Amino acid sequence: MGEKGYLKKTIAALIAIVMTAMLVFIAVPSYRAQAATKKVTVKLTEIGGENEVNLRKGEKAQIRLRKAGTTVSKTSAFYSSTKSSVASVSKKGVITAKKGGECEIEIEDKESDYIATIYVYVKKTGGNSNTTTNSSKLWLDAPSVTLSVGQTHQCKVFSRPDRSATVNNVRWNSQDSKIATVNGGLIKALKEGNVRIHANKDGRDACIMVYVKGAEKKSSSSSSSSSSSSSGYRSSSSSSSYKSSSSSSSYKSSSSSSSSSYSSNRSKSSYSSYSSSRIRSLGIRK
């Protein structure tokens, strides 16, 4: 009986070990799947939609994209991380937290100029990743601005809750200084195109999208041509008027001369006729 009892206990212990191993095997993938089910939705818009997500090291989140009120494919956009050492992003929009810190996931639509940004906050150790950390928030006065070549825009920078950020104590950077430059938050548009301007302070980052359009052309040549045409018309009118006046004067002078000559001849004829008549009445013969 003693041997049988020992055998039963051994078998029971083995079964317990096997069952425990099976539970662990099932639970680990389940935990991983649960970690990957976190979702973050952001809207693709012309001025740039925004959202944020809090993660722990090793945790993942799937980006969901919406455009014009509908959900679009996760492969319909390009993804990039401003600091891949903190969090990386795959071609299918899966964010993976690597170490404590902050970064941005920049998203660009493949079929349009629509963009979006996701701010990622990775906690260094433990804690609940659903708790938002507002103490590290940094942002600018506008998500985007449209300028013509040669125009400028002065950015304003804000931080929460310390409010310590100013245009002079943050580090500014233009992703393409040929399109627009930035100095102390003053953006200057140089040539047509689109560019992101970044502000960074103590590892915190904020950006503004700058759309630069070509300078408007003035229609000076058209005005000059119109003025020239008008002057030509006036000159022609003056010339015509002068000719008409000269012609009129000439005509009047000629008429006056003809009239004078006619009057003079008529007077002579009348006087001659009168003289002959007088002589005949006096009976004087020639």
Side-chain angles (χ1 to χ4, degrees):
M1 285 292 292
E3 290 182 1
K4 289 183 179 179
Y6 176 76
L7 184 61
K8 287 182 179 179
K9 287 182 180 181
T10 302
I11 293 172
L14 288 172
I15 292 173
I17 291 171
V18 171
M19 290 182 67
T20 303
M22 290 179 65
L23 288 172
V24 170
F25 182 77
I26 294 170
V28 170
S30 176
Y31 169 78
R32 289 177 180 173
Q34 185 177 1
T37 56
K38 196 164 190 176
K39 303 289 190 297
V40 54
T41 303
V42 67
K43 294 179 181 178
L44 288 164
T45 66
E46 188 174 0
I47 62 172
E50 295 181 342
N51 203 349
E52 62 181 46
V53 61
N54 293 273
L55 301 172
R56 291 188 298 268
K57 182 180 177 181
E59 197 172 9
K60 296 183 179 182
Q62 174 66 61
I63 298 174
R64 282 181 175 176
L65 300 175
R66 289 187 64 81
K67 178 182 173 183
T70 59
T71 301
V72 296
S73 171
K74 55 192 175 185
T75 58
S76 64
F78 297 108
Y79 305 91
S80 63
S81 172
T82 57
K83 196 178 290 186
S84 56
S85 60
V86 173
S88 62
V89 61
S90 70
K91 293 180 179 179
K92 293 184 178 181
V94 178
I95 303 170
T96 303
K98 293 186 174 181
K99 71 175 186 178
E102 302 169 5
C103 70
E104 295 175 17
I105 302 299
E106 296 176 346
I107 307 165
E108 296 181 9
D109 186 32
K110 292 181 179 179
E111 299 178 353
S112 68
D113 293 331
Y114 285 15
I115 58 173
T117 303
I118 295 176
Y119 301 97
V120 181
Y121 304 97
V122 182
K123 288 189 173 295
K124 293 181 180 180
T125 54
N128 183 5
S129 64
N130 293 321
T131 304
T132 304
T133 307
N134 293 329
S135 58
S136 58
K137 188 74 173 177
L138 181 77
W139 72 98
L140 302 178
D141 57 318
S144 67
V145 64
T146 301
L147 301 173
S148 296
V149 172
Q151 285 187 329
T152 60
H153 172 75
Q154 179 63 59
C155 291
K156 294 179 181 179
V157 61
F158 306 92
S159 60
R160 189 174 60 185
D162 55 3
R163 300 183 181 179
S164 62
T166 68
V167 292
N168 296 319
N169 65 10
V170 299
R171 182 167 55 86
W172 296 94
N173 177 52
S174 171
Q175 288 188 341
D176 192 339
S177 57
K178 291 181 180 179
I179 296 175
T181 58
V182 60
N183 184 17
L186 182 66
I187 300 171
K188 184 174 182 180
L190 300 181
K191 78 171 188 177
E192 194 170 354
N194 303 331
V195 62
R196 276 191 175 93
I197 300 293
H198 288 268
N200 187 278
K201 186 178 187 297
D202 301 329
R204 296 173 288 176
D205 188 88
C207 75
I208 180 171
M209 191 70 187
V210 181
Y211 300 97
V212 182
K213 59 183 182 180
E216 295 180 359
K217 296 181 181 179
K218 296 181 180 179
S219 56
S220 57
S221 59
S222 176
S223 298
S224 176
S225 175
S226 176
S227 175
S228 174
S229 176
S230 178
S231 298
Y233 173 77
R234 288 177 184 171
S235 175
S236 175
S237 297
S238 272
S239 177
S240 298
S241 178
Y242 173 75
K243 288 180 182 178
S244 176
S245 176
S246 298
S247 178
S248 178
S249 298
S250 177
Y251 173 77
K252 286 180 180 178
S253 175
S254 176
S255 297
S256 177
S257 176
S258 297
S259 179
S260 297
S261 176
Y262 173 77
S263 296
S264 176
N265 289 337
R266 189 174 180 186
S267 294
K268 287 180 181 179
S269 177
S270 297
Y271 176 76
S272 179
S273 177
Y274 172 76
S275 297
S276 298
S277 178
R278 181 69 175 166
I279 290 169
R280 280 197 301 270
S281 66
L282 291 174
I284 300 172
R285 293 182 182 178
K286 291 182 181 180

